[in-house]
């Protein structure tokens, strides 16, 4: 598609909207579900009534209403107070939030060309709208007036935190800049939002078009039946009946790399994966990343920070790039050494088998699997039957009931955006409604890769009454193969627990205001802590049952699983840390970078001494985290890892299902984002988090 400038799009859109106005005003409003009070259960979005033609009008109206609400705050005759300024701002934009939540959830989970085109059209409108608020000098003057008298106001901790963050948010958005600088900032913001969108869309196109197709059974050598069946299904859905296809989606790629004895095909598939966005084709992302990084650096300089990482990290628990780099470096050497040893062990197998080649990145999964079978005498195939999706889901429900007394009730009367979506009502032990949980498990062409938790509404209080949240979990888990339920890998089991933790955070949230500010490096605490329970023998007994025989996973298998918990941790840690360093490298560049993306990345990795058999977990051209939300923040997962391992120690000390500890942890989840994260953490744990439990859990500490 030809690229148009953002300004052209605004003009075009304005013309279109003007032309449509008379009709839109009557019929569209009458039928548009966004304009009606929701009469669905729990005021859930009426997906059965929402059609693509409803969005644009609704977005436009949402923008208009929020602007009118802001104008009314600014025009207020009374002196600025917390209630008439900060609380009023927090309460503005509800209509727009509802529309955005639905639209952007679908843009990730169930997209199509129409939605993608609309997203490109909306991006400059929303970017300009946000700037109209954050660069509104009169609004800022009112916020500042409240902020300046904060000592004299009797505010709750949540209110103080909201005020502080609202004020800082204005400064960080450029409220103190002169008019010329503000104008430049608006252009930068608009370009960044367009470029970010384009990056994601091209990445999806690349992922969908990157695969290998196998014509004859010779290409299936080494693959177990279940993997062959999956390949046949994938080919069928591509219209290639009678062949086998393996895509660069992780559930398809990983088993192929693990089991295929065809080294040439492993190489083809892995290359297809790690060259996404870097093939010099129409969907190449190199130029886009360069522009994004350049614009981010410029924005940081404009706002008075040496680099974009300095700008971002000021708001994090880590505070500055030096702290992040010192933290990453502390982990790097022991992890790299571990991964080198793992590579040596795999090379020994290759040599013993007279392979006659050096271990390469496309060999890692294959020989890691062999090594695991050799050392721990079990493989992924043996485990999967104990982890049918339904059983894992029930295991998580059981855990939540034991910890928090929660009940999960399946609902059939909530409108859904795809027939595969399941909805549950979450209730307290007392029967009190907590919120809704939507779950959408399997890959589809319209879904982006990975797994995430989001929502259609966050919790807050309206006139003293709690508005309950609507949380979502979206995954790309292995589909059921013919004749069997979906059988998950251990990674997928962990992912499910992980995303469920994010959802619990959303469901437990108990803040009066909608505005919350969770530092990115604390965001993964609620999710990662859940992974600790996934393979605890006490819990496994309750959910890991063979999907055919119903037999509980044998204790010997659990022991092997535990014994193997440090297996491949060198690789896992190194590929993750390499991506974290790469993210920091891109965001600590100052000035304009006319850098060539490939050589920049290669240089950053060479400086680390990364071994050639490991590719960073995400290369630049498909590093979606770094582009959308985790810029100078990919390190957050392992930073949160320090928190989650240390927090889990509390459960280990008191018993992994201890209700009192769980209640205290729930308080932390309920308040996260409404008070300083470290303060909340210390209130739960009684002390600062320690790094040792994390190092130990990854085998990076000798004891
Ligand atoms: Zn997460």
């Amino acid at each position: 598609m030809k690229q148009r400038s953002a300004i052209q799009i605004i003009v075009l859109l304005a013309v279109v909207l003007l032309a449509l106005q008379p009709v839109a005003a009557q019929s569209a409003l009458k039928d548009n579900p966004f304009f009606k009070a929701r009469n669905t259960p729990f005021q859930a979005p009426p997906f059965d009534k929402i059609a693509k033609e409803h969005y644009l009008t609704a977005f436009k109206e949402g923008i208009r209403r929020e602007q009118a609400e802001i104008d009314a705050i600014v025009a207020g005759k009374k002196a600025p107070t917390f209630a008439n300024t900060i609380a009023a701002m927090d309460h503005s934009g509800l209509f727009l939030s509802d529309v955005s939540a639905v639209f952007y959830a679908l843009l990730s989970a169930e997209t199509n060309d129409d939605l993608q085109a609309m997203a490109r059209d909306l991006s400059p409108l929303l970017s300009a709208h946000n700037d109209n608020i954050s660069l509104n000098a009169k609004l800022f003057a009112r916020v500042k007036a409240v902020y300046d008298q904060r000592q004299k106001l009797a505010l709750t901790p949540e209110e103080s935190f909201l005020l502080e963050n609202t004020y800082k948010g204005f400064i960080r958005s450029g409220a103190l800049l002169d008019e010329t600088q503000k104008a430049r900032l608006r252009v930068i913001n608009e370009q960044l939002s367009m470029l970010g969108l384009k990056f994601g869309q091209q990445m999806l196109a690349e992922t969908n078009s990157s695969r290998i197709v196998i014509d004859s059974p010779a290409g299936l050598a080494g693959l177990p039946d279940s993997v062959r069946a999956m390949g046949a299904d994938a080919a069928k859905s591509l219209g290639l009946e009678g062949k086998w296809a393996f895509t660069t989606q992780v559930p398809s790629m990983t088993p192929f790399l693990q089991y295929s004895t065809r080294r040439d095909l492993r190489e083809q598939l892995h290359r297809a994966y790690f060259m996404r966005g870097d093939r010099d084709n129409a969907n190449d992302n190199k130029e886009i990343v360069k522009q994004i990084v350049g614009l981010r650096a410029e924005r940081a300089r404009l706002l008075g920070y040496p680099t974009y990482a300095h700008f971002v990290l000021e708001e994090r628990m880590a505070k500055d790039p030096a702290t992040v780099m010192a933290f990453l470096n502390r982990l790097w050497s022991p992890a790299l050494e571990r991964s080198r040893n793992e590579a040596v062990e795999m090379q020994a197998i290759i040599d013993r088998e007279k392979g006659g080649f050096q271990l390469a990145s496309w060999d890692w999964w294959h020989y890691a699997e062999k090594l695991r079978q050799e050392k721990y005498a079990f493989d992924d195939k043996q485990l999967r039957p104990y982890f049918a999706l339904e059983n894992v889901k029930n295991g998580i429900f059981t855990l939540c009931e034991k910890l928090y007394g929660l009940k999960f009730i399946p609902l059939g009367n909530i409108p859904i955006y795809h027939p595969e979506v399941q909805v549950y009502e979450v209730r307290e032990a007392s029967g009190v409604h907590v919120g809704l949980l939507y779950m959408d498990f399997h890959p589809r062409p319209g879904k982006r890769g990975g797994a995430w938790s989001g929502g259609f509404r966050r919790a807050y209080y309206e006139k003293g009454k709690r508005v309950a949240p609507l949380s979502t979990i979206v995954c790309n888990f292995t589909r059921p193969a013919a004749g069997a339920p979906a059988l998950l890998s251990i990674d997928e089991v962990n992912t499910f627990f992980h995303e469920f933790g994010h959802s619990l955070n959303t469901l437990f949230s108990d803040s009066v205001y909608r505005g919350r500010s969770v530092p990115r490096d604390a965001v993964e605490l609620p999710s990662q802590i859940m992974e600790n329970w996934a393979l605890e023998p006490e819990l496994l007994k309750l959910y890991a049952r063979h999907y055919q025989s119903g037999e509980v996973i044998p204790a010997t298998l659990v022991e092997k699983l535990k014994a193997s918990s440090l297996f491949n941790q060198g690789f896992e840690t190194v590929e993750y840390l390499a991506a974290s360093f790469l993210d920091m490298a891109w965001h600590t560049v100052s000035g304009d970078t006319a850098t060539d993306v490939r050589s920049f990345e290669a240089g950053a990795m060479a400086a680390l001494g990364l071994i050639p058999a490991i590719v960073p977990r995400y290369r630049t051209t498909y590093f979606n985290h770094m582009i959308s939300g985790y810029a100078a923040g990919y390190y957050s997962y392992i930073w949160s890892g320090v928190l989650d391992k240390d927090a889990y120690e509390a459960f280990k000390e008191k018993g992994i299902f201890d209700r009192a500890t769980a209640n205290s942890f729930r308080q932390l989840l309920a308040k996260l984002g409404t008070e300083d994260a470290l303060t909340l953490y210390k209130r739960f744990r009684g002390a600062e988090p320690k790094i040792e439990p994390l190092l130990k859990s990854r085998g990076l500490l000798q004891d």
Side-chain angles (χ1 to χ4, degrees):
M1 178 161 298
K2 200 171 142 280
Q3 203 192 344
R4 284 193 295 244
S5 82
I7 307 251
Q8 270 178 310
I9 289 175
I10 294 187
V11 172
L12 271 174
L13 209 60
V15 171
V16 171
L17 290 172
L18 278 175
L20 287 174
Q21 201 58 348
V23 190
Q26 279 90 45
S27 80
L29 293 195
K30 192 158 70 57
D31 301 330
N32 195 321
F34 288 113
F35 287 79
K36 295 179 185 165
R38 289 181 183 174
N39 54 12
T40 46
F42 307 103
Q43 285 83 51
F47 288 109
D48 51 340
K49 303 215 166 56
I50 297 172
K52 61 174 195 270
E53 56 271 21
H54 297 137
Y55 289 115
L56 209 51
T57 328
F59 266 107
K60 230 190 119 216
E61 176 65 9
I63 289 173
R64 192 197 65 75
R65 285 193 197 182
E66 183 166 28
Q67 189 59 55
E69 286 159 347
I70 296 294
D71 290 345
I73 295 170
V74 170
K77 292 278 180 292
K78 298 210 173 100
T81 63
F82 183 87
N84 73 20
T85 303
I86 307 298
M89 281 175 65
D90 183 75
H91 206 268
S92 69
L94 274 168
F95 186 97
L96 186 56
S97 295
D98 281 346
V99 184
S100 299
V102 168
F103 179 80
Y104 287 101
L106 263 53
L107 191 65
S108 290
E110 185 61 12
T111 193
N112 55 45
D113 290 347
D114 290 330
L115 289 195
Q116 299 214 1
M118 228 181 292
R120 287 190 292 272
D121 292 347
L122 284 168
S123 158
L125 291 184
L126 291 171
S127 167
H129 173 61
N130 290 335
D131 285 344
N132 286 342
I133 296 173
S134 60
L135 297 174
N136 183 326
K138 286 185 180 146
L139 183 63
F140 176 61
R142 286 187 73 95
V143 171
K144 187 170 183 303
V146 181
Y147 182 76
D148 287 343
Q149 38 164 328
R150 65 193 179 283
Q151 309 295 2
K152 286 180 256 146
L153 308 171
L155 300 177
T156 66
E158 182 185 345
E159 287 167 346
S160 300
F161 197 67
L162 179 64
L163 172 58
E164 179 88 32
N165 282 306
T166 307
Y167 176 74
K168 266 190 351 206
F170 273 94
I171 309 268
R172 290 172 55 79
S173 302
L176 298 179
L177 299 183
D178 66 32
E179 287 313 311
T180 319
Q181 290 169 319
K182 279 184 183 173
R184 178 62 194 152
L185 196 63
R186 279 174 183 272
V187 173
I188 292 174
N189 290 344
E190 192 181 296
Q191 287 180 347
L192 278 173
S193 90
M194 288 298 283
L195 288 165
L197 207 55
K198 195 160 180 228
F199 178 95
Q201 294 184 353
Q202 298 198 155
M203 195 181 122
L204 183 65
E206 278 283 274
T207 303
N208 283 340
S209 62
S210 306
R211 66 177 82 102
I212 56 168
V213 176
I214 296 170
D215 296 326
S216 79
L220 304 175
L223 302 182
D225 289 345
S226 61
V227 178
R228 290 176 185 220
M230 201 166 67
D233 283 352
K236 206 156 128 191
S237 70
L238 292 165
L240 300 166
E241 195 132 9
K243 299 185 181 184
W244 297 266
F246 294 90
T247 70
T248 52
Q249 306 266 20
V250 172
S252 180
M253 177 179 74
T254 307
F256 188 89
L257 294 179
Q258 272 175 332
Y259 296 113
S260 173
T261 50
R262 284 285 300 269
R263 187 167 194 248
D264 56 333
L265 295 177
R266 291 202 307 262
E267 175 172 357
Q268 263 183 41
L269 183 57
H270 198 228
R271 272 191 193 283
Y273 174 79
F274 71 67
M275 291 306 288
R276 285 178 300 157
D278 186 16
R279 277 189 270 255
D280 301 320
N281 59 12
N283 287 320
D284 194 284
N285 269 337
K286 291 196 285 289
E287 206 45 48
I288 293 182
V289 174
K290 252 169 64 176
Q291 289 177 37
I292 289 175
V293 170
L295 287 166
R296 283 175 176 171
E298 187 186 346
R299 179 157 82 177
R301 280 198 308 277
L302 206 53
L303 293 167
Y305 299 84
T307 71
Y308 193 69
H310 285 88
F311 169 69
V312 168
L313 292 168
E314 180 189 69
E315 293 279 276
R316 306 291 189 247
M317 289 178 85
K319 300 293 177 216
D320 54 54
T323 306
V324 173
M325 293 305 284
F327 172 67
L328 292 176
N329 278 318
R330 177 157 182 202
L331 300 166
W332 179 252
S333 308
L336 187 64
E337 194 185 316
R338 240 194 121 85
S339 75
R340 278 207 189 99
N341 294 338
E342 289 164 3
V344 167
E345 286 184 296
M346 291 187 224
Q347 190 64 49
I349 301 182
I350 296 171
D351 296 346
R352 201 175 64 214
E353 292 175 347
K354 309 232 177 307
F357 57 84
Q358 280 297 309
L359 179 79
S361 66
W362 43 88
D363 300 317
W364 196 288
W365 283 263
H366 187 71
Y367 290 94
E369 187 55 34
K370 283 198 166 180
L371 201 56
R372 177 159 71 169
Q373 292 184 29
E374 241 173 52
K375 280 189 141 172
Y376 306 101
F378 73 91
D379 68 18
D380 186 56
K381 283 200 298 285
Q382 263 174 291
L383 286 170
R384 283 190 189 244
Y386 294 99
F387 296 99
L389 176 59
E390 262 321 280
N391 290 346
V392 177
K393 185 173 75 183
N394 289 327
I396 298 177
F397 289 171
T398 304
L399 174 64
C400 293
E401 180 162 12
K402 283 188 161 297
L403 292 175
Y404 306 113
L406 298 180
K407 301 258 183 267
F408 297 84
I409 297 106
L411 298 180
N413 61 346
I414 306 290
I416 44 181
Y417 60 85
H418 188 278
E420 287 184 347
V421 176
Q422 307 175 5
V423 187
Y424 284 83
E425 186 198 349
V426 186
R427 288 191 197 154
E428 306 282 7
S430 64
V432 168
H433 177 72
V434 179
L436 291 190
L437 176 60
Y438 295 67
M439 291 187 279
D440 175 2
F441 291 121
H442 301 296
R444 292 187 296 267
K447 195 190 269 190
R448 73 171 162 84
W452 62 95
S453 164
F456 302 121
R457 185 169 68 220
R458 48 170 56 181
Y460 64 100
Y461 280 76
E462 176 89 62
K463 299 197 177 80
K465 202 167 164 287
R466 183 171 188 261
V467 177
L470 307 172
S471 178
T472 61
I473 292 177
V474 186
C475 310
N476 278 280
F477 290 155
T478 308
R479 277 196 172 276
L487 302 177
L488 305 189
S489 70
I490 293 296
D491 275 353
E492 291 174 328
V493 172
N494 278 324
T495 299
F496 196 177
F497 275 77
H498 178 108
E499 299 308 334
F500 212 95
H502 283 306
S503 275
L504 283 180
N505 192 188
T506 305
L507 290 162
F508 285 155
S509 173
D510 191 34
S511 58
V512 176
Y513 300 96
R514 291 159 69 226
R516 278 195 279 280
S517 173
V518 185
R520 180 66 74 193
D521 44 12
V523 161
E524 301 299 332
L525 164 63
S527 49
Q528 291 182 171
I529 192 168
M530 284 289 282
E531 296 182 43
N532 292 289
W533 275 281
L535 299 183
E536 286 283 8
E538 275 176 84
L539 185 64
L540 283 171
K541 269 192 282 197
L542 302 177
Y543 81 93
R545 290 174 175 278
H546 196 283
Y547 78 97
Q548 284 165 320
S549 65
E551 167 215 17
V552 172
I553 189 167
T556 48
L557 203 51
V558 175
E559 267 159 40
K560 285 177 184 171
L561 198 56
K562 269 228 132 70
S564 71
S565 70
L566 294 182
F567 175 70
N568 214 29
Q569 277 299 316
F571 172 83
E572 304 252 343
T573 310
V574 161
E575 68 153 12
Y576 165 80
L577 288 175
S580 305
F581 277 110
L582 182 59
D583 165 40
M584 289 303 290
W586 277 120
H587 294 108
T588 43
V589 288
S590 50
D592 293 320
T593 45
T595 322
D596 169 69
V597 168
R598 274 186 205 162
S599 56
F600 182 88
E601 184 179 301
M605 293 304 105
L608 285 174
L610 179 65
I611 58 176
I614 300 181
V615 177
R617 185 151 192 183
Y618 298 103
R619 289 193 54 230
T620 304
T621 51
Y622 54 93
F623 202 161
N624 196 46
H625 287 84
M626 183 177 93
I627 300 304
S628 60
Y630 279 79
Y634 193 59
Y635 79 91
S636 301
Y637 289 91
I638 204 154
W639 182 280
S640 289
V642 173
L643 302 178
D644 91 70
K645 290 291 178 225
D646 184 68
Y648 194 65
E649 290 290 305
F651 286 94
K652 290 212 285 207
E653 289 156 14
K654 299 273 164 54
I656 64 164
F657 300 132
D658 184 63
R659 283 297 274 273
T661 310
N663 258 326
S664 158
F665 189 67
R666 180 175 172 165
Q667 292 313 306
L668 186 161
L669 294 182
K671 294 287 170 218
L672 199 59
T674 67
E675 277 188 68
D676 172 65
L678 188 59
T679 308
L680 287 170
Y681 188 85
K682 288 197 285 194
R683 200 177 295 154
F684 160 69
R685 193 70 176 103
E688 301 241 349
K690 297 184 186 67
I691 194 173
E692 286 73 16
L694 171 88
L695 295 175
K696 248 169 118 170
S697 74
R698 290 178 180 244
L700 303 178
L701 189 73
Q702 266 66 40
D703 56 357

